[in-house]
Amino acid sequence: MSEATVDNGRRVWLISTCAMGGVGAAAVAVPFVSSFQPSARARAAGASVEVDISRLQPGEKMVVEWRGRPVWVLYRTPEMIASLEVVEPRLADPQSERRVFPTPEYALNRHRSIKPQYLVAVGVCTHFGCSPTSRFTPGDQPGLPNDWPGGFFCPCHGSAFDLSGRVFANMPAPDNLEIPPHQYLTDTMLLVGEDQQA
């Protein structure tokens, strides 16, 4: 056997060993790096969700998922904000005093929010858990009162909520929409799932 044949055999063996070692290292590294991300179970249990609201325009709503439920972020216009006081006599719990859900202290106001222009609410009806639809345009519309001020309407059983997620009186839904814990990391970055005190 020549010396060249022995060197080629060693080369093949060396390259194969290095390749297998690289594959093994990658197989170990991928799960290790992935472990830094919250698991699906942790996210479902309540891991916080960062939301970039920089592209949201006045009058628009975006939906993100937190704890397996839809969370609405509504950028309210000045007209929407003005309507909140006008509708209070028609609401079942305008001050969120019933507190079936643990309402954060900073949401115990007319806006039910930290910043008046942004509503952050869990988009699940408090009656049977359907998701209400956005009906922001005021006025006469099919299935709504002639003097509809704008808000949210649940198509399942007809519950209606104002633009702060407060339920109108004499509706099937017994309570206002839930306000999740949240905070602003910057003017355009929202963190859903954690209060500032946490």
Side-chain angles (χ1 to χ4, degrees):
M1 185 180 273
S2 72
E3 194 174 311
T5 306
V6 173
D7 284 345
N8 285 339
R10 284 184 184 163
R11 250 187 228 146
V12 169
W13 182 82
L14 184 61
I15 291 170
S16 298
T17 303
C18 289
M20 292 306 289
V23 169
V28 170
V30 168
F32 178 72
V33 172
S34 304
S35 71
F36 290 114
Q37 297 295 324
S39 67
R41 187 175 185 179
R43 285 193 298 273
S48 302
V49 177
E50 287 189 14
V51 184
D52 181 359
I53 58 173
S54 62
R55 294 185 181 187
L56 201 57
Q57 297 298 310
E60 290 182 347
K61 178 186 85 171
M62 67 186 301
V63 182
V64 296
E65 187 177 343
W66 175 68
R67 290 188 172 181
R69 299 181 297 164
V71 172
W72 299 335
V73 182
L74 170 63
Y75 188 167
R76 294 180 282 216
T77 64
E79 295 78 18
M80 289 173 157
I81 294 169
S83 76
L84 300 177
E85 183 176 3
V86 176
V87 299
E88 284 189 352
R90 299 168 56 187
L91 302 174
D93 185 19
Q95 306 304 319
S96 298
E97 294 171 332
R98 290 197 277 218
R99 298 197 194 189
V100 171
F101 303 108
T103 304
E105 290 295 320
Y106 48 78
L108 294 175
N109 54 52
R110 175 175 293 137
H111 308 110
R112 300 186 78 222
S113 61
I114 298 169
K115 298 181 178 186
Q117 68 270 35
Y118 292 110
L119 169 67
V120 180
V122 176
V124 176
C125 182
T126 57
H127 184 223
F128 276 129
C130 298
S131 189
T133 59
S134 303
R135 299 287 187 91
F136 299 151
T137 306
D140 188 16
Q141 298 174 48
L144 295 172
N146 294 341
D147 58 348
W148 176 247
F152 305 99
F153 178 74
C154 185
C156 292
H157 300 99
S159 295
F161 302 86
D162 79 340
L163 292 165
S164 279
R166 299 176 295 181
V167 68
F168 283 88
N170 304 313
M171 294 287 162
D175 296 295
N176 297 337
L177 298 179
E178 180 182 357
I179 303 297
H182 62 280
Q183 61 178 287
Y184 291 88
L185 302 176
T186 67
D187 285 342
T188 59
M189 189 61 71
L190 176 68
L191 183 66
V192 177
E194 282 183 37
D195 288 319
Q196 288 179 322
Q197 300 87 348

